[in-house]
Amino acid sequence: MESWEKLGVFYLGREIDETGETGPTPLLYESKDLTTHAVALGMTGSGKTGLCLSLLEEAALDKIPGILIDPKGDLGNLMLTFPELRASDFRPWIDESEAMRKGLSPDEYAKKISTMWRNGLASWGEDGDRIRRLRESADVSIYTPGGSAGLQLRVLKSFEAPPPGANLTDEALRERVDGSVTSLLVLLGIDPDPVQSREYILMSNLLERAWREGRNLDLAGLIREVQQPPFDRVGILDLESFFPEKERFALAMRLNAVLASPGFAPWMEGEPLDVDALLRTPAGKPRLSILSIAHLDEKERMFFVTLLLHEMVSWMRRQGGTTSLRAILYMDEVFGYFPPSAEPPSKRPMLTLLKQARAYGLGVVLSTQNPVDLDYKGLSNTGTWFLGRLQTERDKKRVLDGLETVSATSGMSVDRGDLEKRLSGLKSREFLMHNVHDGAPVQFGTRWAMSYLRGPLTSAQISTLMKERKAAVAAGNAAAAAGSPGAAPVTRTGASATAVASRPVLPPGIEEAFLPSDGSGGDGPLIYRPALLAVASLHHANSPLAVEQWSEHARLAVMDGDPGANPWPGAQAVAFAAADLLPEPEGDGAYEPVPAGALKKTAYTTWKKSFASYLYRECALTLFRSRDPKAVARPDESEGAFRARVAQQLQEKKDLTLEKLRARYATKFERLQERIRRDEQRVGKEKEQQKQQKFQTAVSVGATVLGALFGRKASTVGRASTALRGAGRISREAGDVQRAMETLETNRAKLAELEIAL
C-alpha cells in the first residue's frame, strides 16, 4: 500500500520543494477539514477541473457521498473510469475531431490516450486496482432535471407537506416555504422579494397554511388556491384590497401556463427531489449524484439551483451534529449564483449553508475561474482555498483581499507579498493551498485523475451512460404499477351481473359504513360491493433494543363470496381516516348482495380474532441491527437511512481513533525527530573537524617537504612526526564521521518504522 493510502485523508498530489519542482512528499488533505468548506479558483487551463474531480474521487474512495451541481457538463467525467485501461474502453469517449487534428485515426488516438492515462497514473503511484476500488466504493449517477438525457427529477415534490416526523421549527418551515415559492417565482420571471412582492407573500401564506394543516399542494392545487385562497385577510388588510381577484387570476394564468407547457412536463416526472436519496442508494451505498444543468436556460438553472439549495438547508437541519465529514455539496462554476453585490435567489441559502453546515458535517466546495464574481465576505466561512493560475492582476488582487478577510476571521496571519510572488509563479496543474487548519500555505502539483477527463459530455453521451440505469428505473416503476391494489368496493361502471337496486338490510349489531366513490368507471351508475373493514392499533415493544412503537393498520377484504373464517390474507392494506367513511350512500346506485356468512353477528367475533392473529403473523416489526458499532434501526428508518447513520458513526469513530492514535505517537515522533536533528548537527560538526584536520595535516606535510628540500633536517624530522600524527587524527575523524552517520541512519530508519507502525 502506498504511504498516502491512509484513513481520513485525501491524496491530492505532491508538494513542490524549494527548487520549484514536484518532490516526493504527498499532499494529504484531512477529510474533516472539508467541514469548514473549500473554494477552488483558477483560469481555464489551470488544472482546476482535475483537482476538483480528484478531490471527489478521494471522497468516494472514503465512502463519503456528494451532490454535485454541474452547469458545464464536465462532472459526468466521473463515470469514465476504466480499471483495465484498455484502448477500447476509451474509444467511445474520445474527441474524434481532436484525433483528426492530430493526424490519427480514432482507434490510434484511443490507444494513445490509453497509454497516456496508464503512464500518467503510474507516475503518481496509481493503477487500475485503485480505479476498481473507486467504482466499488460509490454509485455515480447523472441527473438531468428538466431534461430526459439522464435520470429525471420531479422537483415539485417540495410542494408536499413535510413528513410528520420532520419536527421542523417555525424558522425551518418558513425557510422551506421560502425556497419553494422563491424558486417558482424565479421560473415565472417575478422578483421574489419577501417584503415587496405580493405574489411571494400570497403564495407563502398558502403553502405555510397547507403544510401546517398537513396538506400537500401540487401545482394544480396551488393554482386553485391562488384564485380562491382559504383566508380573507393578509396581515391587517382584506384579501381584495391586498391582491384583487382579477390580478390573482392573472397570476393563476401565469402558473397555469407553466403547468400546461410541454417543456415543463419533465420537471414533474422522475424520482422525487430527495436529498437522502441523492446521497445514498436504498441499500445505504454512498452516491455521487451529478445534477447536470448545462441544457437549461439561465432562468431554469436559477430555479433549480435555488430549489436544491433550500432542500439542502432543510436536510441539513434534520441531521444530528458531528465534527466528521458527512457529505459534500460541490458546485462547479458558481459564477452568477454567489456574487459580491447582487442578491440572486440562490445567494441566501448558499450563505446559510456556508455559515451553518459545518456543525452538521456538510462540506460545501465551490469552484470558479472568475474570482471577482464571488462574495468574499460570504467566503469568510471557507477554511480551505485552492489557488491556481489566475488570468489578470485584478483577479490576483481580489483573491489576496479575500484571503486577508478569511485570515483575519480565523486569526491566521498572511504574508501578502509572499503569496503574491508564489501565485505569479504557478504553472498549469500547480496550486497554492491555504488551509486555516495548517500553519502555512502549501504549494503542490495535482495528481493524475483516475477519471478520463474528456471534457463536457453531450446529451447523447449522458443518455448512453445512463441507459441501463434508466431501464432499471422504468422496470421498477412497471413492477410497482403491476402490484397496485385492485378495484375498490365503490366504483362507477356500466353493468354488474349480481347488483340489485335495493340496499341490503343488515341484522342489528353489525356496523355499516360507506366508502366514497374512487371516481373510476366514468359517469356510469354507482355500484356498491360488500367488504369487511378491520382497523387495529399495534404496539411493538422491546426493552433491550429500546424499541416502542404504536402503529395503525387497516385492511379491506372485498367479499366476492363467502369470506370464510379468515378473509385477511388476501385483504388490501388501506390508509384513510374514520372521517372518510360515509354513514349513508353517496346517491342512488346498485348493490351487490352481502354473502350469507356476513349476516351472522357471531362471524364478526371470529373475524376479529383471526384479524389479530393475522396481524401478529404478518406485521412483525423487522429492524436492522449493527454489531459494531452497536446500533438498532428506528422503526420508521429504512435500510439505507440506517446504513447511512451507522456509516456516520463509524466515520466519527474513525476520526476520534485517529486523533488518539496520533496523540499517542506524537511524543515518540518528537523524541526521534529531536535525535535526528542532533545527529545531523553532530555529522556536520564531525565533517567540519575532519576537514580542518585534513587541512592542518596537508600544511604540515608541505612544510616537511619544503624543509627537506632546503636542508633544515632537525625541523624536518619534527614536522614529519607532526604530519604522521595528523594523518592518524584524520583516520580517527573519519571514523567519528562514519559512526555519526550510522547513528543518524539508524534513527532515520526508526522514524520510518514508526511511521509504518502508525
Side-chain angles (χ1 to χ4, degrees):
M1 181 182 287
E2 295 285 350
S3 62
W4 35 260
E5 291 282 23
K6 298 177 181 180
L7 287 172
V9 294
F10 295 169
Y11 170 46
L12 300 182
R14 294 182 186 137
E15 294 184 21
I16 294 174
D17 59 27
E18 60 275 2
T19 67
E21 300 298 323
T22 303
T25 306
L27 190 285
L28 303 180
Y29 180 76
E30 294 272 357
S31 64
K32 65 178 183 178
D33 287 355
L34 206 56
T35 58
T36 54
H37 318 309
V39 60
L41 305 173
M43 61 183 284
T44 300
S46 63
K48 175 168 52 66
T49 299
L51 168 64
C52 293
L53 262 66
S54 295
L55 185 146
L56 294 169
E57 290 172 350
E58 294 295 322
L61 279 168
D62 224 18
K63 295 183 169 57
I64 295 168
I67 292 176
L68 323 176
I69 307 173
D70 186 12
K72 288 201 314 179
D74 284 328
L75 300 186
N77 292 172
L78 285 165
M79 294 197 72
L80 305 182
T81 48
F82 312 120
E84 304 301 328
L85 295 166
R86 296 178 295 240
S88 58
D89 295 329
F90 290 87
R91 175 63 181 83
W93 308 105
I94 63 167
D95 184 345
E96 294 192 5
S97 61
E98 180 70 17
M100 189 181 301
R101 286 193 293 272
K102 293 181 180 295
L104 299 172
S105 71
D107 289 340
E108 291 171 335
Y109 188 59
K111 185 176 181 181
K112 179 180 178 181
I113 291 293
S114 169
T115 302
M116 181 174 71
W117 230 259
R118 186 184 300 276
N119 294 340
L121 288 168
S123 68
W124 292 87
E126 302 176 282
D127 55 20
D129 286 338
R130 196 165 197 253
I131 297 177
R132 191 172 291 106
R133 284 195 290 113
L134 171 65
R135 298 185 65 161
E136 292 169 354
S137 296
D139 171 82
V140 183
S141 300
I142 303 176
Y143 289 83
T144 50
S148 59
L151 297 175
Q152 291 180 288
L153 274 179
R154 178 161 46 89
V155 299
L156 291 185
K157 175 185 179 292
S158 57
F159 287 176
E160 297 179 11
N167 296 322
L168 295 181
T169 63
D170 287 347
E171 180 187 5
L173 180 66
R174 290 193 182 101
E175 280 186 352
R176 189 160 181 172
V177 168
D178 173 69
S180 300
V181 174
T182 296
S183 304
L184 190 53
L185 290 178
V186 166
L187 191 62
L188 295 176
I190 297 173
D191 180 17
D193 189 309
V195 177
Q196 301 293 330
S197 170
R198 292 183 307 169
E199 293 86 355
Y200 176 92
I201 294 169
L202 175 64
M203 291 169 62
S204 295
N205 275 280
L206 291 173
L207 268 189
E208 184 172 346
R209 184 186 181 100
W211 287 356
R212 288 190 184 279
E213 293 172 356
R215 291 188 293 115
N216 297 331
L217 269 184
D218 58 9
L219 192 53
L222 184 61
I223 291 171
R224 285 192 296 270
E225 293 209 355
V226 164
Q227 289 182 273
Q228 297 179 334
F231 46 78
D232 55 13
R233 301 191 74 81
V234 178
I236 63 171
L237 296 178
D238 64 274
L239 180 63
E240 283 304 304
S241 299
F242 175 75
F243 208 143
E245 182 179 6
K246 183 179 179 180
E247 295 175 26
R248 295 202 309 274
F249 179 73
L251 174 60
M253 290 296 290
R254 293 182 72 170
L255 288 167
N256 188 66
V258 171
L259 182 61
S261 169
F264 193 70
W267 293 102
M268 304 179 70
E269 298 170 356
E271 301 176 26
L273 179 56
D274 183 335
V275 173
D276 283 310
L278 291 174
L279 289 175
R280 292 189 181 271
T281 67
K285 185 177 182 179
R287 301 182 69 186
L288 292 182
S289 291
I290 302 165
L291 308 180
S292 178
I293 57 175
H295 58 286
L296 303 177
D297 62 33
E298 288 300 323
K299 188 167 62 176
E300 290 172 329
R301 290 186 188 189
M302 185 60 73
F303 159 68
F304 176 73
V305 170
T306 302
L307 188 62
L308 174 68
L309 293 179
H310 278 285
E311 285 291 322
M312 292 297 304
V313 171
S314 296
W315 173 85
M316 173 190 76
R317 296 194 190 284
R318 297 196 300 270
Q319 310 308 307
T322 181
T323 57
S324 297
L325 184 62
R326 174 181 268 124
I328 293 173
L329 172 66
Y330 173 75
M331 184 165 186
D332 194 27
E333 297 305 335
V334 74
F335 163 67
Y337 296 93
F338 197 58
S341 54
E343 290 288 335
S346 58
K347 185 172 180 178
R348 195 148 34 110
M350 181 72 81
L351 196 55
T352 300
L353 290 170
L354 289 172
K355 287 182 177 180
Q356 300 179 17
R358 173 181 183 175
Y360 303 94
L362 174 65
V364 179
V365 183
L366 305 177
S367 167
T368 188
Q369 56 181 299
N370 298 299
V372 296
D373 296 314
L374 282 178
D375 185 340
Y376 284 108
K377 290 183 179 177
L379 289 179
S380 61
N381 296 280
T382 304
T384 303
W385 291 49
F386 295 107
L387 308 174
R389 291 170 60 194
L390 298 171
Q391 196 155 8
T392 66
E393 290 301 319
R394 180 179 171 226
D395 287 342
K396 231 175 279 182
K397 180 179 182 302
R398 184 71 169 149
V399 166
L400 291 170
D401 291 343
L403 275 179
E404 286 185 332
T405 302
V406 172
S407 301
T409 304
S410 64
M412 183 178 177
S413 61
V414 168
D415 186 339
R416 187 178 179 111
D418 178 62
L419 285 177
E420 187 170 6
K421 180 181 177 182
R422 294 170 76 174
L423 282 174
S424 300
L426 290 175
K427 305 171 189 173
S428 180
R429 295 185 58 199
E430 290 185 359
F431 285 82
L432 192 63
M433 182 180 76
H434 181 278
N435 185 355
V436 296
H437 304 281
D438 295 338
V442 178
Q443 195 169 335
F444 70 101
T446 59
R447 70 163 173 79
W448 198 274
M450 290 183 279
S451 310
Y452 171 41
L453 306 183
R454 58 94 52 214
L457 297 179
T458 65
S459 293
Q461 289 170 328
I462 292 174
S463 185
T464 300
L465 283 169
M466 298 309 297
K467 184 177 180 180
E468 291 185 9
R469 177 71 183 274
K470 289 166 72 176
V473 170
N477 292 339
S484 60
V490 186
T491 61
R492 293 183 182 271
T493 185
S496 175
T498 59
V500 296
S502 59
R503 174 178 169 181
V505 178
L506 301 181
I510 297 178
E511 294 184 41
E512 182 183 30
F514 296 83
L515 284 173
S517 169
D518 64 358
S520 63
D523 297 325
L526 281 171
I527 302 294
Y528 285 93
R529 296 185 174 92
L532 294 172
L533 174 64
V535 181
S537 294
L538 288 187
H539 185 209
H540 292 92
N542 186 305
S543 297
L545 298 182
V547 172
E548 182 169 1
Q549 183 196 42
W550 285 93
S551 57
E552 297 290 327
H553 294 263
R555 297 291 187 275
L556 192 69
V558 178
M559 294 186 285
D560 296 324
D562 187 356
N566 185 14
W568 308 115
Q572 297 177 14
V574 292
F576 50 78
D580 295 328
L581 298 175
L582 306 174
E584 295 296 328
E586 286 186 271
D588 295 334
Y591 299 84
E592 291 187 354
V594 178
L599 298 175
K600 297 177 182 178
K601 186 177 178 180
T602 54
Y604 291 86
T605 303
T606 301
W607 290 332
K608 183 177 179 180
K609 291 179 180 177
S610 64
F611 184 55
S613 300
Y614 164 79
L615 291 179
Y616 184 82
R617 291 192 309 273
E618 301 296 327
C619 296
L621 183 61
T622 302
L623 301 178
F624 297 95
R625 174 190 288 182
S626 165
R627 291 189 177 90
D628 183 17
K630 290 184 178 179
V632 177
R634 295 185 294 269
D636 60 343
E637 196 169 24
S638 67
E639 177 186 354
F642 178 60
R643 285 183 179 273
R645 181 157 64 89
V646 169
Q648 184 60 30
Q649 290 179 14
L650 289 171
Q651 185 83 6
E652 292 168 0
K653 181 179 178 181
K654 177 193 71 177
D655 288 343
L656 181 61
T657 304
L658 284 173
E659 286 180 11
K660 291 180 178 178
L661 194 63
R662 287 170 181 153
R664 200 175 82 203
Y665 275 78
T667 304
K668 298 178 182 178
F669 272 106
E670 289 173 3
R671 191 160 50 241
L672 268 176
Q673 287 165 347
E674 177 59 25
R675 287 180 186 172
I676 289 171
R677 187 185 64 79
R678 290 200 302 266
D679 290 342
E680 288 172 341
Q681 289 177 342
R682 183 185 168 200
V683 168
K685 181 180 177 182
E686 295 293 350
K687 284 183 176 179
E688 183 61 28
Q689 289 178 349
Q690 183 186 33
K691 181 180 177 182
Q692 291 176 358
Q693 188 60 54
K694 284 181 178 179
F695 177 75
Q696 291 173 359
T697 302
V699 170
S700 297
V701 170
T704 301
V705 171
L706 288 173
L709 289 174
F710 290 102
R712 295 191 291 273
K713 295 183 179 179
S715 61
T716 299
V717 172
R719 289 193 181 97
S721 300
T722 301
L724 288 173
R725 287 196 298 274
R729 280 196 290 272
I730 290 175
S731 177
R732 287 195 298 274
E733 292 292 350
D736 291 342
V737 170
Q738 181 62 31
R739 284 188 292 275
M741 288 291 294
E742 289 173 355
T743 303
L744 175 60
E745 292 305 318
T746 298
N747 283 327
R748 282 176 173 170
K750 287 180 179 178
L751 183 63
E753 290 173 2
L754 193 62
E755 287 175 342
I756 293 170
L758 173 58

